[in-house]
Amino acid sequence: WENKVAINTSITEVDQFLQHIVKSTNMNCLTPQSALEGNCAFLAANLYAKSIFGEDALVNVSVEKQADGKLAGYIRIRSKTQGIALSLGDKITLKQKGG
């Protein structure tokens, strides 16, 4: 299953947004820290987690800083079960505001 969530946040820095998503979802970032260093207007990273039921979830964060300073892009959630993909998508939608 795949769930695609549009980025809609008040956070204005791509690296800060990624850290917020990692923290709020309790996922592990598979992308090496060395690949995320530096000041850039775009970022792509892969996150991974295993549920307490043993189900895997893979999240791809693709975010770009627009000319007006806002962030745009998508977060794709992939899992074998529909429930994990949908519930993780709902959680990200609620938490991505930065609050």
Side-chain angles (χ1 to χ4, degrees):
W1 287 92
E2 181 174 303
N3 188 3
K4 185 175 169 183
V5 176
I7 292 175
N8 180 15
T9 183
S10 58
I11 299 172
T12 57
E13 297 299 324
V14 292
D15 55 341
Q16 184 183 354
F17 178 74
L18 175 64
Q19 292 308 316
H20 178 70
I21 294 298
V22 168
K23 184 179 175 186
S24 60
T25 59
N26 294 324
M27 297 188 85
N28 296 314
C29 187
L30 299 176
T31 306
Q33 189 61 39
S34 59
L36 301 172
E37 292 174 355
N39 191 5
C40 195
F42 59 92
L43 180 143
N46 293 306
L47 312 178
Y48 170 82
K50 186 177 282 249
S51 75
I52 58 172
F53 305 109
E55 298 166 318
D56 296 320
L58 183 66
V59 172
N60 175 263
V61 179
S62 180
V63 60
E64 178 182 8
K65 188 170 186 172
Q66 305 273 289
D68 61 3
K70 292 183 179 179
L71 299 184
Y74 291 96
I75 299 171
R76 294 181 191 272
I77 303 125
R78 295 182 182 92
S79 69
K80 286 188 177 180
T81 60
Q82 182 181 17
I84 294 290
L86 294 179
S87 64
L88 196 51
D90 290 343
K91 183 174 188 175
I92 289 171
T93 299
L94 288 172
K95 299 277 187 174
Q96 72 173 324
K97 292 286 187 184

